[in-house]
Amino acid sequence: MDVLTVEGLSKRYVIGGSNDGHAATSLRAAIGRSVSRTFGTERHAGEERGKHEFWALKNISFEVAEGTRLGIIGRNGAGKSTLLKIMSRTTEPTEGRLLIHGRTASLLEIGTGFHPELSGRENIFLNGTLLGMTRDEIKRKMEAIIEFAEIEEFLDTPVKHYSSGMYVRLGFAVAAHVDPDILLLDEVLAVGDLQFQRKCFGKMQELGDTARSVLFVSHDLSAISALCNRCILLEHGRLVFDGTPAEAILRYYEHNVTDHGELDFEQRGVHVGDSDAQLLGAEIALMDGKPALEADIREPFRVTLRYRIMTHLDGPTVPNVHFYRPDGTCAFVALPEGARNLGPGEYRATVIIPGRFLNEGMYSIRISLTTFFGTHHKTHLALPSALMINIRDPRDGTTGRYGYGGQFPGAVRPRFEWTIGEE
Amino acid sequence: MRLCTGVGAELAVMDVPVIEITADTGRKRYAAEVWRARNLIFLFTWRDTAVRYRQTFAGVLWVLLRPLVTMAIFTLVFGKFLKVPSGDTPYALLILSGLLPWQFFAYGFSGVGDSLFRYSSVISKVYFPRIIVPLSAFAGNVIDTLVALMLFVPLMLYYDIAPSWRLLLLPVVFAAAVPASLGLGLWFSALSVRYRDFMHITPFLVMLSLYASPVGFASDVVPKHLQDYYWLNPLVGVINAFRWVLFDVPFEPPVNGLLGSVLLSACLLVFGYLYFRRVERSFVDVI
C-alpha cells in the first residue's frame, strides 16, 4: 500500500517580493511603493517585477509504499528540504498535492519547543505534544524515552544545564518514540556522540523494518546507500531520477551515463582507441558474474576489459584502471605485472578488486590501454569515468566501525593484519 | 478523511487517517484543527507562565510589583501633588482599578503582538494552526491579571470597602476588553512578521493607551461635550464598569459613545482575525 502520494507538487518563493511572497520588509519601503504606485511614478517597473520568482520544487510526483526507506538526494538548493517542509506542513505547496496515509513525525524537529528553563521531564511533554503525542501516550512512553536519551539523573534539571549532547539525545529520543507511519529525517546523523549515532541509525533501520516508511534527506550519500532501499534525485527542483540508491548516486555524480556497470562499444559501433589498439567493452561484475553498480564493502568484485590489438607493437600493451573518488582524488591505479607482448588479436583482461579494501562511497573508473616501449610509452586510449561503482557499507556492526556512524576519511579503507598484545 | 500531522494525530491510532496537503489546506477545516490542537493552548500557556514565574527571582511577586509601584507613583503625582479629585474612592484604589484593566488590555495587546516572533523557532518547524500562539499568549495575560487582582484583597480590607454582589460581574467587565486587545494584538502580530518596524510601534501605542484611558483619574474630568468621543476608547467603559463593580460609583455611559466603542472593539477583533488568517499561511516563508 502507498503511504505517500505526491502529485505535481510545486513550490514557488518570491525573493524580495512585496506581494505574493509576503517577504518581511520595512514599512517605509512598503509605503514608498504604494505611494509611487498611486502617483504613477514607479520608475523601476522592471525591477519591481524582477523580484525574481524561484521555483524550489517544480512538478514533483512519486509514490512511497509501506516499508520503503526512501533517500532524497540532490545538491544544495535542489529542493530537498522544501519537500520535507511541505510534508511536515510547515510550509504550503504552491501547486499540486500530497496525500499522506498515517502519522508523520520529522526529526527536523529535534528539540522543538524545548525551553531552557524547564526540566527534562517537562520538555518531554512539551516536545512530545508538539510532535503529536497525547498526554497519556507520553506518560506511557516516558520511561522508554528517558532510557533511550540516557538522562535519568538529570530528568528534573532545567535543560539549560544539559550538555549539547544530552540536549540532542533527549530531542531524538522523543521524536523516535512518536511511532510515526512516516518518519522524515534531515541530516540527523551528524549529531551526537558515536554511540548515540549508532543507536539512532539502529532505530531508523528498525522503523524501516517494521513496515514504517522513512524519508531520509542527506548529503552523506554513503549513509543513504546504507539505509535506503530506494532513492530519488532532485535537480533544480525537479525529480530527475527515481530508482535504487546506487543508480541515483551514480546519476548524482554523472548525469548522462546510462550504462554504468556494462559498456559495449563493439555493439554500439563506437571506436574507442587509436590505430594500434581499441577498447571493445568493459564491465563491473560481482563474483557470481552479475553486472553490478554496487558492491558490498566486504565482497570482492571484478572489472573486465575487452580490447583488440591491431598492429605489431614493440612492447607489451598493458590494460590499466584508475579509481577516482568523487572529489577528484585518484585512489589508486591497478595494472598487471609481467604483461607480455601478445601481438594482434582480441583479448579479455579481468582484475579482482578485493573486499574490505575500498572505502564506502562512489568510485569512478578511468580505463586506459598503454604500450610500454622501454624508453617511452604510448597511451592508445584513456576513457575517464568509463565505469562507476558504489561501495556500500551496511553499517550493521559487521564492518569494523565500532559504532562510528560517519564516513571514514581516505581514498581506501583496507583491512590490515594487526597484532595487539600486552607489553 | 482527517487532518492530522503533528498536533491532533492522537486520533490516528485506530484507523489510518489520510491527510491531504494542497495549496489551501490551511484554510479548510480551520476550526476543527484548532479544536484538535487545543491541548497546545494549555501547553504553551503553561510553558510561558511557568517560565516567567520561575525565572524571575521574585516569582509571582513581579506580577504584583509592577502595578503596585505604578500605583504608588501615580498616587503620589496625581493624588498628592496635582490633587486630582477622586470622589469618595480612596486615591490608591482609584488608580489600581484603572491600572489593572489597562494592564490587561495593554499587556494582552503587546504580548500577543510579539508572540509569533517569540515562537518563530517552533513555527518554522512544526505545523499547527498558528492562531494557537497568540491565543495562548493572551491566556497567559489572563493568568497574570488574575494574580494581580489579588492586590485588591489587602487594599480593600485596609480601606474597609466590602464588595457587593456586583463582584460576580467582574469576568464580564474584563471580557469586554478582550476584543480590542486581542484584535489589535492579532493584527500587530501578523503585521510585525511582514514589517519588522511594527515591533517599535507597539511600546508607543501601549504608552499612548495609558494616557488615553482614565487610569490616573475618574473619567468625568473630561468635558461633557467630549464624553461621547472619549467613550469610543473601549477602556473607558471597561474601567468605569470595573469601578462600578468594586466601589459602587455610578456607571452612566453615554449611549452613542458606548455603542461606538462596542462597534470599534468588534471591528478590531474581526479585522485583526481576518488579517491574521490571510497572512498566516506565509509566516514560515518569511520568519
Side-chain angles (χ1 to χ4, degrees):
Chain A
M1 198 190 96
D2 287 343
V3 290
L4 174 70
T5 312
V6 179
E7 289 170 5
L9 202 68
S10 298
K11 172 73 183 179
R12 180 187 58 200
Y13 286 103
V14 180
I15 297 170
S18 60
N19 16 19
D20 281 342
H22 290 309
T25 164
S26 81
L27 193 56
R28 200 179 65 176
I31 292 171
R33 257 198 304 278
S34 66
V35 167
S36 58
R37 218 174 280 142
T38 314
F39 295 104
T41 54
E42 209 175 295
R43 266 167 296 174
H44 308 292
E47 191 181 288
E48 174 92 358
R49 215 155 290 127
K51 282 174 182 107
H52 53 280
E53 279 181 9
F54 159 65
W55 290 91
L57 288 177
K58 189 73 185 156
N59 203 14
I60 303 277
S61 301
F62 63 92
E63 288 96 40
V64 176
E66 232 171 312
T68 302
R69 288 179 301 222
L70 180 74
I72 301 171
I73 61 174
R75 297 181 194 280
N76 284 333
K80 308 178 299 274
S81 300
T82 307
L83 186 58
L84 283 200
K85 267 191 184 169
I86 293 175
M87 269 178 230
S88 59
R89 284 192 71 189
T90 51
T91 190
E92 288 183 339
T94 312
E95 287 164 12
R97 65 176 199 150
L98 206 121
L99 282 173
I100 301 174
H101 299 253
R103 169 147 98 170
T104 50
S106 81
L107 289 194
L108 314 163
E109 298 149 18
I110 274 198
T112 299
F114 270 19
H115 199 294
E117 295 291 336
L118 299 177
S119 72
R121 188 195 304 273
E122 288 166 328
N123 273 309
I124 291 176
F125 271 102
L126 200 60
N127 189 232
T129 311
L130 270 173
L131 294 182
M133 287 196 269
T134 61
R135 219 185 145 68
D136 289 341
E137 209 179 337
I138 298 171
K139 275 187 192 153
R140 218 167 349 102
K141 291 173 181 166
M142 183 61 93
E143 224 161 281
I145 292 173
I146 296 165
E147 198 183 314
F148 192 93
E150 303 161 20
I151 51 147
E152 289 87 350
E153 316 103 274
F154 305 102
L155 198 55
D156 294 305
T157 313
V159 297
K160 67 176 172 187
H161 299 305
Y162 281 26
S163 70
S164 61
M166 288 162 69
Y167 195 88
V168 169
R169 285 209 299 273
L170 184 60
F172 188 94
V174 180
H177 287 81
V178 177
D179 272 343
D181 298 296
I182 302 174
L183 181 66
L184 311 176
L185 302 168
D186 191 0
E187 303 283 4
V188 285
L189 289 178
V191 299
D193 54 37
L194 298 187
Q195 206 192 350
F196 192 71
Q197 276 183 14
R198 178 172 51 181
K199 228 164 145 181
C200 297
F201 209 78
K203 187 79 189 175
M204 282 153 60
Q205 256 158 349
E206 181 193 314
L207 283 170
D209 292 341
T210 51
R212 307 291 170 76
S213 302
V214 179
L215 269 65
F216 183 26
V217 166
S218 184
H219 282 108
D220 182 355
L221 300 179
S222 301
I224 295 262
S225 76
L227 183 80
C228 300
N229 50 22
R230 187 180 146 199
C231 187
I232 59 175
L233 171 64
L234 300 181
E235 262 169 32
H236 306 299
R238 287 165 204 275
L239 195 158
V240 295
F241 185 81
D242 184 346
T244 66
E247 289 171 292
I249 293 168
L250 284 172
R251 284 292 302 262
Y252 178 89
Y253 286 119
E254 193 88 350
H255 308 252
N256 304 320
V257 187
T258 49
D259 47 6
H260 282 293
E262 219 177 346
L263 282 173
D264 196 336
F265 295 120
E266 211 177 11
Q267 199 180 32
R268 281 201 262 152
V270 181
H271 186 94
V272 181
D274 57 13
S275 51
D276 297 323
Q278 80 184 90
L279 187 69
L280 301 176
E283 73 164 20
I284 293 177
L286 301 181
M287 295 316 279
D288 59 9
K290 241 191 269 160
L293 294 171
E294 185 170 80
D296 189 300
I297 195 164
R298 297 163 297 190
E299 304 297 329
F301 63 91
R302 19 187 231 213
V303 181
T304 302
L305 313 180
R306 292 187 297 114
Y307 55 96
R308 175 185 295 146
I309 298 174
M310 279 97 79
T311 53
H312 285 281
L313 293 160
D314 253 355
T317 303
V318 183
N320 50 95
V321 287
H322 305 229
F323 276 62
Y324 283 90
R325 293 297 277 172
D327 63 5
T329 338
C330 183
F332 63 89
V333 179
L335 72 171
E337 275 177 45
R340 290 177 294 123
N341 189 346
L342 296 167
E346 285 184 14
Y347 302 97
R348 173 188 295 266
T350 298
V351 55
I352 293 175
I353 308 293
R356 296 191 191 269
F357 163 59
L358 295 179
N359 202 345
E360 66 183 324
M362 186 62 64
Y363 288 86
S364 86
I365 301 162
R366 171 186 159 121
I367 295 173
S368 208
L369 211 49
T370 314
T371 302
F372 292 91
F373 297 103
T375 51
H376 67 284
H377 64 269
K378 182 178 183 189
T379 302
H380 305 291
L381 64 99
L383 198 62
S385 303
L387 297 168
M388 288 187 121
I389 183 142
N390 182 45
I391 305 299
R392 178 174 179 273
D393 181 345
R395 300 190 180 186
D396 59 0
T398 64
T399 53
R401 293 183 144 264
Y402 298 97
Y404 177 59
Q407 164 95 45
F408 281 97
V412 290
R413 203 170 108 202
R415 181 162 71 167
F416 296 130
E417 288 296 326
W418 282 77
T419 320
I420 300 172
E422 239 171 281
E423 260 221 304
Chain B
M1 197 180 275
R2 190 178 280 159
L3 290 165
C4 92
T5 341
V7 175
E10 68 268 25
L11 300 167
V13 182
M14 300 308 286
D15 54 333
V16 178
V18 178
I19 316 154
E20 186 188 15
I21 299 173
T22 59
D24 59 355
T25 312
R27 272 176 289 193
K28 294 186 235 159
R29 291 168 294 226
Y30 198 71
E33 287 210 310
V34 174
W35 175 246
R36 214 165 287 126
R38 63 192 181 279
N39 263 347
L40 271 188
I41 301 186
F42 296 117
L43 203 72
F44 285 165
T45 310
W46 164 78
R47 169 193 193 247
D48 291 344
T49 309
V51 167
R52 194 164 53 241
Y53 284 33
R54 206 177 290 176
Q55 218 168 15
T56 48
F57 76 101
V60 184
L61 266 183
W62 175 238
V63 178
L64 298 174
L65 225 56
R66 244 181 344 188
L68 211 58
V69 170
T70 320
M71 181 188 80
I73 293 170
F74 271 49
T75 308
L76 204 66
V77 174
F78 288 96
K80 292 279 181 279
F81 302 159
L82 297 176
K83 303 223 185 307
V84 176
S86 70
D88 296 333
T89 320
Y91 202 79
L93 280 181
L94 182 86
I95 299 275
L96 195 63
S97 61
L99 211 50
L100 286 191
W102 170 77
Q103 278 198 354
F104 179 67
F105 166 85
Y107 295 161
F109 154 63
S110 58
V112 168
D114 68 1
S115 58
L116 286 179
F117 257 107
R118 283 186 287 117
Y119 272 81
S120 57
S121 66
V122 178
I123 286 175
S124 60
K125 285 182 189 145
V126 193
Y127 174 77
F128 50 84
R130 301 317 187 196
I131 198 138
I132 300 270
V133 170
L135 284 183
S136 55
F138 200 83
N141 178 46
V142 172
I143 293 174
D144 284 355
T145 305
L146 287 176
V147 173
L149 276 173
M150 294 300 127
L151 281 176
F152 277 104
V153 176
L155 279 171
M156 294 197 43
L157 282 174
Y158 176 77
Y159 288 110
D160 197 19
I161 299 174
S164 69
W165 61 271
R166 285 196 295 262
L167 199 62
L168 296 173
L169 292 175
L170 199 74
V172 183
V173 171
F174 276 85
V178 173
S181 174
L182 186 59
L184 267 179
L186 283 174
W187 207 28
F188 270 61
S189 65
L191 275 171
S192 55
V193 170
R194 264 187 92 171
Y195 308 109
R196 298 283 147 95
D197 331 26
F198 268 88
M199 309 268 270
H200 310 298
I201 300 178
T202 311
F204 174 69
L205 276 188
V206 164
M207 195 186 68
L208 209 65
S209 68
L210 176 64
Y211 295 107
S213 309
V215 173
F217 46 84
S219 70
D220 48 22
V221 301
V222 174
K224 264 259 164 352
H225 65 282
L226 291 177
Q227 282 284 330
D228 265 334
Y229 298 106
Y230 194 51
W231 276 70
L232 276 179
N233 174 358
L235 275 177
V236 175
V238 171
I239 291 175
N240 273 299
F242 187 45
R243 286 171 177 160
W244 168 74
V245 161
L246 285 178
F247 316 125
D248 197 15
V249 292
F251 179 63
E252 291 149 354
V255 178
N256 288 339
L258 191 67
L259 280 179
S261 78
V262 169
L263 202 66
L264 183 68
S265 302
C267 283
L268 284 174
L269 184 60
V270 170
F271 287 119
Y273 175 76
L274 290 180
Y275 186 72
F276 185 91
R277 288 298 312 282
R278 197 163 76 80
V279 181
E280 175 185 42
R281 301 189 304 133
S282 58
F283 283 160
V284 173
D285 301 342
V286 174
I287 275 179

